[in-house]
Amino acid sequence: MTDGAVAGGGSGDGLARAAAAGIQVLALPTPFLVGRVNCYLIEDQPLTLIDTGPNSGKSLDELQRALGGHGYAIEDLELIVVTHQHMDHIGLLEVLTRRSGAEVAALELLAPYLENFSANAAADDEFAQQVMRRHGVPDDLATVLGSVGAAFRAFGSSGHVTRPLGDGEMLALRDRQLKVFHRPGHSPSDTIFWDEQRGILLGGDHLLARISSNPLLSRPLSGGAGAAAPNGGDDDRPRALLGYMESLRATAKLPVTLVLAGHGEPVLDHVELIDERCRMHDRRARKVLRVLGSRSLTAFEIALEMWGNVAVTQAYLTLSEVLGHLDVLLADGRVEETGQDGVARFRATDRP
């Protein structure tokens, strides 16, 4: 869910500094609530595009115009770098590589996913259906939401990764070195690129200035279940928020002075913003605990009490958020999880 403006949001100064470093922001339209997605053109050798925007004619037209404004065409692109698997970041990958012949660099764990996007997106939707039903979403609502998810798949695309990247590896351009860090949480494939010489981090959706990056419950790229259930929970879902908090703490240790984000403004003080995000998640965990009270509830019932009809229209988003904060409470021993007839329920323990 979103926040208002917080300390750490950048301004035109951040974009001017990026431009001086040879990095141009290309903000492209998307059909999603998050609004425009920031792709970044790095004027270096090879000529590099970070992310692509969604697979739509409007986005492609605007990308062509934006590139033209800097004196380039799609055919000039030599390298496309992918920050993560979401459709607004990979949708034009197939079109752009076909027209330009550009190489594609992405996290090595992401390469098999991109190779057959349609099949993997369908598996993601099936995973989401299982999670929703497991956590109390009625069958008819889960089915309708699954149909909506399938309709959105057309905004993504497949792509062949020619330069698989490992965590901690260096991606070398002529005039800069970008260190690769795998920072899962918002998605299993979140990857950030750190230009230590300039203090600039190309952060994708790992850290956004004005909204919190939702750690969506996602099917693990490895095909496994992900982190073990804390405190004896009997659900083998991935613990997205716990992983995301660990990723944020690791990023806070980098001496970053400018984060170029996947949406919205640059971030000028990433440590302050990460501290605020951590405090926010602690507040939300306490709110979930208050909603539980002395009752035994499903995650969907908690979401309904917290957000009303929004928990119906955006069931998977709100469910992911509730489950993330329940996982924090499970890890602290303040909540326990039980299952009956295939449905998980949660109740508070006596631990303060």
Side-chain angles (χ1 to χ4, degrees), residues 62 75 112 138 186 312:
E62 290 207 21
E75 289 73 17
H186 171 66
V312 176

Side-chain angles (χ1 to χ4, degrees), residues 3 23-24 33 56 80 110 117 138 174 191 195 200 221 227 252 274 290:
D3 295 323
I23 304 174
Q24 308 295 341
L33 290 174
S56 76
I80 297 172
L110 182 56
F117 170 79
R174 183 193 62 196
T191 313
D195 183 343
I200 295 175
L221 292 172
I274 288 171
R290 289 196 299 271

Side-chain angles (χ1 to χ4, degrees), residues 134-205:
R134 166 76 179 169
H135 291 285
V137 176
D139 285 346
D140 55 349
L141 177 57
T143 299
V144 168
L145 293 172
S147 300
V148 172
F152 273 106
R153 283 182 217 154
F155 291 107
S157 78
S158 295
H160 177 62
V161 175
T162 59
R163 296 177 66 175
L165 304 171
D167 183 32
E169 187 176 324
M170 202 69 76
L171 178 62
L173 307 185
R174 183 193 62 196
D175 297 330
R176 71 199 73 212
Q177 299 273 335
L178 301 176
K179 192 162 186 180
V180 178
F181 291 107
H182 183 202
R183 293 286 192 261
H186 171 66
S187 82
S189 57
D190 277 7
T191 313
I192 61 175
F193 299 88
W194 164 227
D195 183 343
E196 183 175 7
Q197 180 183 357
R198 297 168 178 83
I200 295 175
L201 182 70
L202 291 147
D205 287 359

Side-chain angles (χ1 to χ4, degrees), residues 49-99:
L49 183 68
I50 307 291
D51 289 337
T52 73
N55 182 25
S56 76
K58 184 175 182 182
S59 293
L60 181 59
D61 288 345
E62 290 207 21
L63 175 60
Q64 291 180 118
R65 285 196 294 272
L67 287 171
H70 296 289
Y72 303 105
I74 286 173
E75 289 73 17
D76 296 322
L77 296 173
E78 298 171 299
L79 175 65
I80 297 172
V81 178
V82 176
T83 63
H84 64 294
Q85 68 206 65
H86 290 162
M87 290 177 281
D88 51 334
H89 295 261
I90 66 165
L92 288 173
L93 186 59
E94 190 171 9
V95 172
L96 299 184
T97 53
R98 185 174 67 247
R99 288 180 53 177

Side-chain angles (χ1 to χ4, degrees), residues 109-279:
L109 288 172
L110 182 56
Y113 186 99
L114 292 176
E115 197 71 40
N116 193 344
F117 170 79
S118 181
N120 281 299
D124 289 345
D125 289 342
E126 177 58 32
F127 174 85
Q129 290 275 311
Q130 294 172 5
V131 169
M132 285 190 286
R133 289 181 166 87
R134 166 76 179 169
H135 291 285
V137 176
D139 285 346
D140 55 349
L141 177 57
T143 299
V144 168
L145 293 172
S147 300
V148 172
F152 273 106
R153 283 182 217 154
F155 291 107
S157 78
S158 295
H160 177 62
V161 175
T162 59
R163 296 177 66 175
L165 304 171
D167 183 32
E169 187 176 324
M170 202 69 76
L171 178 62
L173 307 185
R174 183 193 62 196
D175 297 330
R176 71 199 73 212
Q177 299 273 335
L178 301 176
K179 192 162 186 180
V180 178
F181 291 107
H182 183 202
R183 293 286 192 261
H186 171 66
S187 82
S189 57
D190 277 7
T191 313
I192 61 175
F193 299 88
W194 164 227
D195 183 343
E196 183 175 7
Q197 180 183 357
R198 297 168 178 83
I200 295 175
L201 182 70
L202 291 147
D205 287 359
H206 176 59
L207 186 64
L208 306 179
R210 294 183 180 271
I211 59 175
S212 56
S213 299
N214 297 296
L216 292 172
L217 277 174
S218 303
R219 186 174 60 94
L221 292 172
S222 63
N231 196 35
D234 63 354
D235 190 349
D236 64 353
R237 67 184 179 275
R239 265 54 192 178
L241 180 57
L242 292 177
Y244 181 54
M245 299 301 290
E246 182 178 346
S247 290
L248 285 178
R249 286 190 287 269
T251 299
K253 296 177 182 177
L254 294 175
V256 173
T257 56
L258 176 66
V259 179
L260 298 176
H263 302 274
E265 302 171 355
V267 174
L268 300 180
D269 189 337
H270 74 300
V271 173
E272 181 181 357
L273 184 57
I274 288 171
D275 286 345
E276 170 52 30
R277 292 285 185 262
C278 292
R279 290 191 296 270

Side-chain angles (χ1 to χ4, degrees), residues 65 227 250 292 340:
R65 285 196 294 272
L292 267 177
Q340 185 175 2

